[in-house]
Amino acid sequence: MHAIDAALTPRNWDHYRSAVVDIRFAERTVRVESRPSGTVEGSYPDAASGAAIHVITAWNPLGRTASDDTNAYAQALLLDEVRRRDLTWWSAVGGDVGGTHSEESVAVVGLGDAAARDLGRRFGQDAIFAWGADAWRLLACDTDAAEVSGWAACEYGRTTGQGRR
């Protein structure tokens, strides 16, 4: 990954850099992982119509572990906001590659980086992800800090009807 301004990154930045995201499209789940810059492995989803997919969560605001009830409530508020804006979205889960930590998220099409960062910031988040056809980006919510890398995406399971609009 390439750091644009590492001095302005949140304290958990290294955890975010190594995170994986599982996005549940209509009939499949795709895992996205960062790779060295310039690397693209797998297929970018047709459902995004070439637009960036921003991955945002409302879990554990301010980097503090919250209760399941608090996280579920915050995530429901985030989903309400996404629906109110009539954005295309899919359920997602972000976490560490070993599966010891995960957070419900939403993968959204239809936001620019500034609007996606603002939404993350409104829900107390340090950072969000932006997946594009040519890069996987980690974007800080409170600063302009960002890291750009390549990505690998692989389908690892079939799902039933998880995609939403």
Side-chain angles (χ1 to χ4, degrees):
M1 285 188 163
H2 170 69
I4 292 175
D5 192 345
L8 300 175
T9 60
R11 65 182 165 85
N12 290 324
W13 196 253
D14 285 340
H15 294 292
Y16 307 139
R17 292 174 74 207
S18 61
V20 299
V21 175
D22 297 335
I23 303 173
R24 291 184 292 271
F25 293 101
E27 295 182 8
R28 69 194 193 293
T29 299
V30 174
R31 172 162 284 183
V32 185
E33 301 181 28
S34 67
R35 291 289 189 266
S37 290
T39 303
V40 172
E41 298 172 9
S43 299
Y44 191 70
D46 291 336
S49 301
I53 299 172
H54 289 91
V55 181
I56 306 166
T57 187
W59 276 48
N60 300 322
L62 306 174
R64 296 183 182 105
T65 302
S67 71
D68 289 345
D69 288 343
T70 298
N71 283 329
Y73 179 73
Q75 191 68 18
L77 291 175
L78 172 60
L79 289 175
D80 286 347
E81 178 66 19
V82 167
R83 288 181 184 118
R84 186 187 66 75
R85 294 183 188 195
D86 197 29
L87 299 168
T88 298
W89 65 277
W90 302 274
S91 295
V93 176
D96 67 316
V97 72
T100 58
H101 177 80
S102 63
E103 298 183 357
E104 288 183 30
S105 303
V106 61
V108 181
V109 172
L111 295 173
D113 288 351
R117 282 174 151 159
D118 181 59
L119 191 55
R121 185 173 39 258
R122 286 184 45 216
F123 285 89
Q125 299 305 302
D126 290 332
I128 61 168
F129 299 101
W131 184 24
D134 61 350
W136 177 252
R137 295 177 294 129
L138 174 58
L139 308 174
C141 292
D142 287 332
T143 69
D144 289 335
E147 290 197 31
V148 179
S149 70
W151 56 264
C154 65
E155 184 175 325
Y156 74 92
R158 303 299 280 181
T159 61
T160 56
Q162 294 295 321
R164 296 185 172 86
R165 168 146 169 76

